[in-house]
């Protein structure tokens, strides 16, 4: 799952905190962290700065809320969807299908955040997300019968493949197969390579 642009969900004529979070994530996707500024966001939402300060004490608090929401929807929600699959090979396949499907919706936030790694709030969320994702995939390889060290190495390999894939999706999408059959063959090759014990 990825962040989606939403229409403001006014309650009794007042914007909710989530409206500001959604607007901040949209701004990050369009122009990075520098695009998260109270006045332009208020204008986008048709609100006043007072509405912002009703929900957040400052810009940093909004950025923290936006990054936490992105972390939840792009990591925890994806894991929650994939985790119930009991067969580890099918779980890994489901994960590889879920993540590119999310990325192809055009959400540029993850790519943008990777370019903002020097920002302390971004660095913290990317560290948490990376550790959580690698741990989840490592567990899949453990469930496939790999020793702990090898399972971790393959978990890291899967994550580097993920980062490369989202970069291609946003920068050079024609480098990846676009037809269903080509995507299936690509995924089959990727999974065969990653799960081979030979």
């Amino acid at each position: 799952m990825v962040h989606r642009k939403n229409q403001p969900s006014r309650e009794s004529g007042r914007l909710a905190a989530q409206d500001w979070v959604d607007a901040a994530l949209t701004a990050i996707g369009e122009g990075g962290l520098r695009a998260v500024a109270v006045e332009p966001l208020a204008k986008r939402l048709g609100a006043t700065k007072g509405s912002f300060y009703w929900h957040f004490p400052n810009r940093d608090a909004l950025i923290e809320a936006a990054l936490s929401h992105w972390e939840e929807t792009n990591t925890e929600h994806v894991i929650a969807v994939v985790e119930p699959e009991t067969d580890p090979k099918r779980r890994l396949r489901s994960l590889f299908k879920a993540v590119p499907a999310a990325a192809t919706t055009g959400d540029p936030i993850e790519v943008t955040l990777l370019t903002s790694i020097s920002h302390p709030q971004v660095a913290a969320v990317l560290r948490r997300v990376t550790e959580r994702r690698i741990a989840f995939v490592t567990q899949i390889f453990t469930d496939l019968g790999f020793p702990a060290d090898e399972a971790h190495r393959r978990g890291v390999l899967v994550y580097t493949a993920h980062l490369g894939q989202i970069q291609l999706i946003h920068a050079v999408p024609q480098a990846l197969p676009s037809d269903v059959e080509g995507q299936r063959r690509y995924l089959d090759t990727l999974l065969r390579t990653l799960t081979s014990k030979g």
Side-chain angles (χ1 to χ4, degrees):
M1 282 291 176
V2 294
H3 161 71
R4 307 215 187 281
K5 298 176 185 178
N6 296 322
Q7 292 298 319
S9 54
R10 294 177 184 269
E11 299 169 358
S12 303
R14 180 177 294 165
L15 288 172
Q18 187 61 45
D19 295 317
W20 289 96
V21 166
D22 290 341
L25 285 169
T26 298
I28 290 170
E30 294 171 352
L33 286 181
R34 68 183 179 278
V36 181
V38 177
E39 287 191 22
L41 291 180
K43 185 175 181 181
R44 177 185 293 235
L45 291 168
T48 65
K49 288 196 296 183
S51 170
F52 170 81
Y53 289 111
W54 178 264
H55 297 291
F56 301 98
N58 51 47
R59 175 179 180 267
D60 283 347
L62 173 60
I63 289 173
E64 188 65 32
L67 293 176
S68 294
H69 183 68
W70 173 82
E71 179 180 6
E72 178 66 27
T73 57
N74 287 268
T75 298
E76 297 305 326
H77 180 78
V78 171
I79 288 173
V81 168
V82 171
E83 199 167 28
E85 174 56 66
T86 56
D87 180 83
K89 280 192 177 180
R90 286 201 293 265
R91 197 182 318 140
L92 189 59
R93 178 177 288 275
S94 295
L95 182 63
F96 268 102
K97 284 182 175 179
V99 173
T104 55
T105 62
D107 182 4
I109 293 171
E110 186 157 355
V111 174
T112 302
L113 290 178
L114 288 168
T115 67
S116 305
I117 192 67
S118 61
H119 189 282
Q121 288 172 290
V122 173
V125 75
L126 287 180
R127 183 175 59 252
R128 288 195 308 270
V129 162
T130 298
E131 289 172 354
R132 175 73 167 115
R133 291 172 177 179
I134 290 175
F136 178 70
V137 181
T138 296
Q139 185 59 54
I140 294 176
F141 285 107
T142 300
D143 294 344
L144 284 167
F146 288 94
D149 287 351
E150 182 62 21
H152 179 72
R153 278 192 290 273
R154 294 192 186 218
V156 172
L157 183 60
V158 166
Y159 196 59
T160 58
H162 159 70
L163 293 178
Q165 193 167 15
I166 64 167
Q167 182 67 31
L168 284 176
I169 287 169
H170 291 286
V172 194
Q174 63 271 22
L176 294 167
S178 57
D179 61 292
V180 173
E181 181 58 24
Q183 291 170 357
R184 185 192 62 77
R185 288 197 304 269
Y186 170 79
L187 182 54
D188 286 346
T189 302
L190 184 60
L191 292 175
R192 189 165 56 249
T193 302
L194 290 167
T195 59
S196 172
K197 296 182 179 180

